[in-house]
Amino acid sequence: MRDTENMEAEIEFDDGEEPSFSDPEDFVDDISDEELLGDVLREKPLEADGIDSVIVVDNVPQVGPDRLEKLKNVIHKIFSKFGKITNEFYPDADGKTKGYIFLEYSAPSHAHEAVKNADGYKLDKQHTFRVNLFTDFDKYMSICDEWETPEKQPFKDFGNLRHWLEDPDCRDQYSVIYDSGERTGIFASDVKEPIEIEERARWTETYVRWSPKGTYLATFHQRGIALWGGEKFKQIQRFSHQGVQLIDFSPCERYVVTFSPLMDTKDDPQAIIIWDVLTGQKKRGFHCESSAHWPIFKWSPDGKFFARMTQDTLSIYETPSMGLLDKKSLKINGIKDFSWSPGDNIIAFWVPEDKDIPARVTLMQLPSRNEIRVRNLFNVVDCKLHWQKNGDYLCVKVDRTPKGTQGVVTNFEIFRMREKQVPVDVVEMKESIIAFAWEPNGSKFAVLHGEAPRINSSFYHVKNNGKIDLIKMFDKQQANSIFWSPQGQFLVLAGLRSMNGALAFVDTSDCTMMNIAEHYMASDVEWDPTGRYVVTSVSWWSHKVDNAFWLWTFQGRLLQKNNKERFCQLLWRPRPPSLLTQEQIKLIKKDLKKYSKIFEQKDRLSQSKASKELVDKRRTMMEEYRQYRERATAMYHEQRPLRLELRGGVDTDDLDSNVDDWEEETIEFFINEEIIPIGDL
């Protein structure tokens, strides 16, 4: 307060006189600009702002004046597709270009796109472009001249990632989400009851996915994806992708694709990201207009290629570079759908009719891009591509409107992929098609056709002599879905959801109906990888009551009813392909009777062991109950005096005690009144 008064006394001046704010002549300013204007200086434009649209291209051919114009045309053709080029400079010396050039784009985003896509572009055998932003040179200049060996990362042992395959009883595993998604468990399938392997609360925020060979379990979180594996399901890898909704693995499990609608920006594509599973590194990002048809990218069976379809374009990329195959996409006007063969690097795609040009289905070999078969089709409404699991056959379901007829006719165009020139057989059906499915390891296929309540199921066999025979047809089936056993021969015809869960178990070797059953309101059917068991379930996500999953044998015998509170999802853990050759498998099948005796003996021992375990378990439970009853009875007698004291000496332990104190009371209730007319009196 005194300091304030002194200051006021020192700066007294007349109201009409302007004070002087000038510094004395000997004043020295010791305050830096950073202290005074730090926030303003941080907003000061950098020198790079004027040149951040410039790129430097190295490894350009060195040419003289006679070939310079041709070189400029080639460079302009390659780099102009990334944006508008406003300026270009070709340094020269001794009458030749120096081997590097400068290109300026109209916007920095175009320069970034050119660096991302043109770096590593192979012009010819001697020249592969290296493309960098001009503004990156300051970063490169600051790199230390002395190279330091990076520290070795410690090896993380996640245990045996395929330990479940070593189970002596060959029990397969499955994941279960229940409690409306709050809990997730991993169980081993057993005839008696599921064996819990691992169970955690809030392990995932939505659902889970197994990798194609069963090595990893993927869980979904708001910030990204986590992969788990090993005997104790430790976290192996995580991928940061905010708001991730969908996931897809490459068949080789080397890459994982994630989709999020929240992250995409115009300059930096983040909607779809491809990750390296082993390193956790982002390989490449892509834009995505719509995720309605997931997966956006479809993988070749060996994981070396993946493809994407956009309007009039089929883009095929190769790994591990994640660049376009041969640096360009395929221009296919009107392309509607495509699919990879599960057994070979062959793509099938179809194009609808255009005026006088018929619709066509094309089979293309990759990476050569040779068309190995083209099939022209007429009066086409729609096509669906169905590959057999091994890639031996391709069925193109063609909906047609033949001239002179009313309604839609369906043709099944069967391509025999293993025969010369890929011959095609045709099966025509005039009824509406509900479902189609190939036998996984065979040459049969099943079709559901007709209208409810007269739905028929037909089974066909593709023979080696070029004929397709109708083996059997069942009429009046309550089914809308076909589920083949992974090993073939057996299948389940299911009437899911609206058809109240009707089930038919069929052996297609002689087309006999092994059993007919029902799982009311069933929403899903899942075969185990071996084809021994099948699970039907009612998911809480589709139906809010009776949520459970039932375990059946492949013959349709019900083994278990597992009721889980608000059960959501069950997924079997896939098995990797067998290491045995076809000859070894045939030899095992030949000697199966010899092995079956050993297995039957083991089953009998297992059953007797299970019976003994059950008896021991029941005896233990009975003994625990007896001990508890004795403790409760002793406590009851000890508390008797206290009860008498609390009730005023009245003994209420026995029902007939204190009969003299009872009072009898009669209570009448009015039930109803009936009025009967007796006529006029």
Side-chain angles (χ1 to χ4, degrees):
M1 189 70 180
R2 292 177 181 175
D3 293 342
T4 305
E5 292 175 355
N6 293 336
M7 289 177 63
E8 290 177 353
E10 290 176 2
I11 59 174
E12 286 183 358
F13 53 85
D14 297 335
D15 292 342
E17 183 180 349
E18 181 76 20
S20 175
F21 294 97
S22 300
D23 293 327
E25 293 183 2
D26 58 347
F27 177 77
V28 178
D29 189 357
D30 58 352
I31 300 177
S32 65
D33 290 344
E34 180 63 31
E35 292 180 76
L36 192 63
L37 303 171
D39 55 340
V40 178
L41 292 175
R42 280 190 286 273
E43 299 295 329
K44 180 181 178 181
L46 302 175
E47 294 181 4
D49 286 355
I51 55 173
D52 55 1
S53 298
V54 178
I55 63 172
V56 183
V57 185
D58 284 308
N59 297 333
V60 177
Q62 298 181 16
V63 299
D66 54 333
R67 298 176 58 194
L68 181 59
E69 194 62 32
K70 182 178 180 181
L71 176 63
K72 288 184 176 181
N73 291 335
V74 172
I75 293 295
H76 195 272
K77 182 179 179 181
I78 295 171
F79 286 90
S80 60
K81 58 186 176 184
F82 305 118
K84 183 181 178 182
I85 299 175
T86 59
N87 196 8
E88 53 188 56
F89 177 57
Y90 290 74
D92 57 12
D94 301 328
K96 280 190 174 183
T97 57
K98 288 188 174 182
Y100 59 90
I101 62 173
F102 300 87
L103 301 177
E104 182 178 0
Y105 285 95
S106 58
S109 60
H110 300 161
H112 284 274
E113 194 71 16
V115 171
K116 186 178 296 184
N117 293 284
D119 187 35
Y121 183 91
K122 191 173 182 180
L123 184 65
D124 52 40
K125 291 182 179 180
Q126 286 79 32
H127 300 92
T128 300
F129 292 158
R130 296 312 308 267
V131 186
N132 293 282
L133 292 170
F134 187 82
T135 52
D136 284 342
F137 275 81
D138 288 339
K139 177 178 69 177
Y140 298 142
M141 292 297 292
S142 62
I143 296 176
C144 181
D145 293 336
E146 296 181 3
W147 183 77
E148 295 181 2
T149 306
E151 293 183 7
K152 290 184 178 181
Q153 297 297 321
F155 172 72
K156 295 181 180 179
D157 185 9
F158 298 108
N160 184 1
L161 297 181
R162 293 189 173 178
H163 69 285
W164 85 98
L165 299 175
E166 300 176 354
D167 184 86
D169 295 319
C170 299
R171 288 178 291 221
D172 283 283
Q173 295 183 359
Y174 54 81
S175 63
V176 175
I177 298 177
Y178 59 100
D179 198 10
S180 65
E182 287 294 311
R183 306 196 74 82
T184 303
I186 310 297
F187 297 87
S189 177
D190 191 80
V191 177
K192 299 186 292 294
E193 61 182 10
I195 301 172
E196 185 178 287
I197 305 297
E198 192 75 22
E199 195 270 345
R200 298 177 189 176
R202 293 177 292 280
W203 201 348
T204 182
E205 293 182 13
T206 52
Y207 59 102
V208 300
R209 276 283 305 273
W210 291 102
S211 59
K213 297 179 181 179
T215 308
Y216 308 107
L217 177 71
T219 57
F220 289 71
H221 309 274
Q222 182 60 32
R223 295 185 179 181
I225 296 292
L227 296 187
W228 312 78
E231 298 181 17
K232 298 297 182 182
F233 285 92
K234 297 179 181 178
Q235 187 179 108
I236 294 176
Q237 199 59 265
R238 57 183 179 181
F239 310 99
S240 179
H241 200 181
Q242 192 78 16
V244 62
Q245 293 182 356
L246 300 169
I247 188 177
D248 185 42
F249 283 92
S250 64
C252 59
E253 294 188 339
R254 179 70 188 273
Y255 306 102
V256 62
V257 186
T258 59
F259 165 77
S260 170
L262 305 179
M263 298 292 290
D264 209 16
T265 59
K266 184 178 180 180
D267 297 333
D268 187 16
Q270 295 281 340
I272 299 176
I273 298 179
I274 299 180
W275 309 85
D276 188 304
V277 170
L278 297 178
T279 64
Q281 293 181 345
K282 173 184 174 182
K283 301 297 290 185
R284 187 171 176 182
F286 294 87
H287 292 296
C288 180
E289 293 75 24
S290 172
S291 63
H293 300 285
W294 183 262
I296 302 295
F297 292 106
K298 298 179 183 179
W299 292 85
S300 64
D302 57 6
K304 292 183 179 179
F305 305 97
F306 59 98
R308 178 185 189 180
M309 182 185 71
T310 52
Q311 186 175 2
D312 299 333
T313 304
L314 181 63
S315 302
I316 303 167
Y317 302 84
E318 56 185 344
T319 60
S321 67
M322 303 296 163
L324 277 170
L325 181 64
D326 296 334
K327 306 300 180 183
K328 59 183 178 180
S329 299
L330 290 170
K331 186 73 173 177
I332 306 172
N333 292 326
I335 182 172
K336 282 288 186 181
D337 193 16
F338 77 99
S339 181
W340 286 93
S341 164
D344 307 278
N345 287 338
I346 296 174
I347 277 185
F349 62 87
W350 79 278
V351 177
E353 294 178 83
D354 184 15
K355 298 178 181 178
D356 296 332
I357 303 174
R360 71 181 189 277
V361 174
T362 304
L363 298 175
M364 179 181 292
Q365 183 83 45
L366 270 301
S368 64
R369 303 193 182 191
N370 294 331
E371 294 184 355
I372 59 177
R373 187 70 162 88
V374 178
R375 175 79 168 174
N376 292 327
L377 305 168
F378 298 90
N379 305 315
V380 174
V381 177
D382 191 22
C383 286
K384 290 287 185 295
L385 306 173
H386 300 276
W387 284 97
Q388 189 253 10
K389 181 183 176 181
N390 300 327
D392 297 336
Y393 305 99
L394 167 67
C395 173
V396 182
K397 174 182 167 288
V398 184
D399 295 330
R400 301 170 55 244
T401 53
K403 293 181 179 179
T405 61
Q406 293 182 348
V408 176
V409 175
T410 299
N411 284 4
F412 293 112
E413 308 271 340
I414 309 296
F415 291 71
R416 300 171 179 267
M417 299 300 299
R418 304 303 179 195
E419 299 180 26
K420 289 184 179 180
Q421 298 180 345
V422 191
V424 180
D425 301 312
V426 181
V427 176
E428 183 176 285
M429 304 194 76
K430 295 184 179 179
E431 294 181 307
S432 60
I433 307 300
I434 299 171
F436 173 96
W438 279 104
E439 182 183 19
N441 293 316
S443 54
K444 294 191 285 288
F445 62 87
V447 185
L448 289 176
H449 53 94
E451 299 286 346
R454 297 189 62 86
I455 295 176
N456 303 319
S457 59
S458 298
F459 302 93
Y460 292 85
H461 184 206
V462 182
K463 294 191 172 181
N464 295 329
N465 58 7
K467 292 183 179 180
I468 300 178
D469 291 345
L470 174 62
I471 308 172
K472 183 79 173 180
M473 185 178 76
F474 296 110
D475 59 355
K476 296 183 180 179
Q477 295 294 302
Q478 291 292 315
N480 54 19
S481 304
I482 304 169
F483 298 94
W484 281 94
S485 163
Q487 304 304 321
Q489 183 177 344
F490 305 102
L491 62 78
V492 174
L493 300 175
L496 300 180
R497 296 179 175 87
S498 60
M499 289 192 174
N500 296 332
L503 304 170
F505 296 81
V506 182
D507 182 354
T508 61
S509 61
D510 53 5
C511 285
T512 56
M513 197 77 71
M514 297 183 294
N515 191 26
I516 296 176
E518 180 183 287
H519 185 177
Y520 184 68
M521 294 305 295
S523 58
D524 300 282
V525 175
E526 295 281 346
W527 280 93
D528 86 315
T530 65
R532 294 179 295 175
Y533 306 106
V534 62
V535 165
T536 59
S537 59
V538 181
S539 173
W540 184 80
W541 291 334
S542 61
H543 198 61
K544 299 303 180 185
V545 295
D546 299 329
N547 304 129
F549 63 92
W550 295 2
L551 182 71
W552 311 72
T553 66
F554 68 95
Q555 297 167 320
R557 181 166 59 91
L558 182 60
L559 297 176
Q560 299 171 12
K561 290 185 178 181
N562 296 289
N563 297 312
K564 287 286 187 182
E565 186 71 22
R566 288 171 290 178
F567 162 82
C568 298
Q569 180 198 47
L570 182 145
L571 289 177
W572 288 96
R573 187 173 193 172
R575 283 176 171 260
S578 174
L579 299 177
L580 300 176
T581 63
Q582 289 299 321
E583 290 73 17
Q584 290 172 322
I585 293 174
K586 288 180 180 179
L587 185 62
I588 291 172
K589 289 182 177 180
K590 182 180 178 181
D591 298 334
L592 192 58
K593 289 184 178 179
K594 180 178 69 176
Y595 298 124
S596 62
K597 293 179 181 179
I598 302 173
F599 296 144
E600 288 171 1
Q601 183 181 3
K602 187 175 180 181
D603 288 342
R604 285 194 295 270
L605 290 173
S606 176
Q607 290 174 2
S608 62
K609 182 180 178 182
S611 301
K612 185 177 182 301
E613 288 177 353
L614 183 61
V615 170
D616 292 343
K617 182 179 179 181
R618 288 177 176 175
R619 284 177 177 170
T620 303
M621 292 174 65
M622 189 64 189
E623 180 63 23
E624 289 176 353
Y625 170 73
R626 188 187 62 77
Q627 293 176 3
Y628 168 76
R629 182 181 173 87
E630 289 179 355
R631 291 195 302 270
T633 303
M635 183 183 297
Y636 177 78
H637 291 305
E638 289 175 4
Q639 294 176 348
R640 176 179 170 81
L642 182 59
R643 287 196 301 275
L644 288 172
E645 182 182 348
L646 291 173
R647 295 168 187 171
V650 178
D651 183 8
T652 59
D653 288 353
D654 296 325
L655 185 63
D656 296 333
S657 63
N658 303 303
V659 178
D660 297 337
D661 296 334
W662 286 7
E663 295 182 3
E664 184 175 349
E665 183 177 352
T666 303
I667 301 175
E668 295 182 357
F669 293 94
F670 177 77
I671 299 176
N672 61 9
E673 180 181 2
E674 185 177 1
I675 301 175
I676 302 175
I678 58 176
D680 297 330
L681 298 176

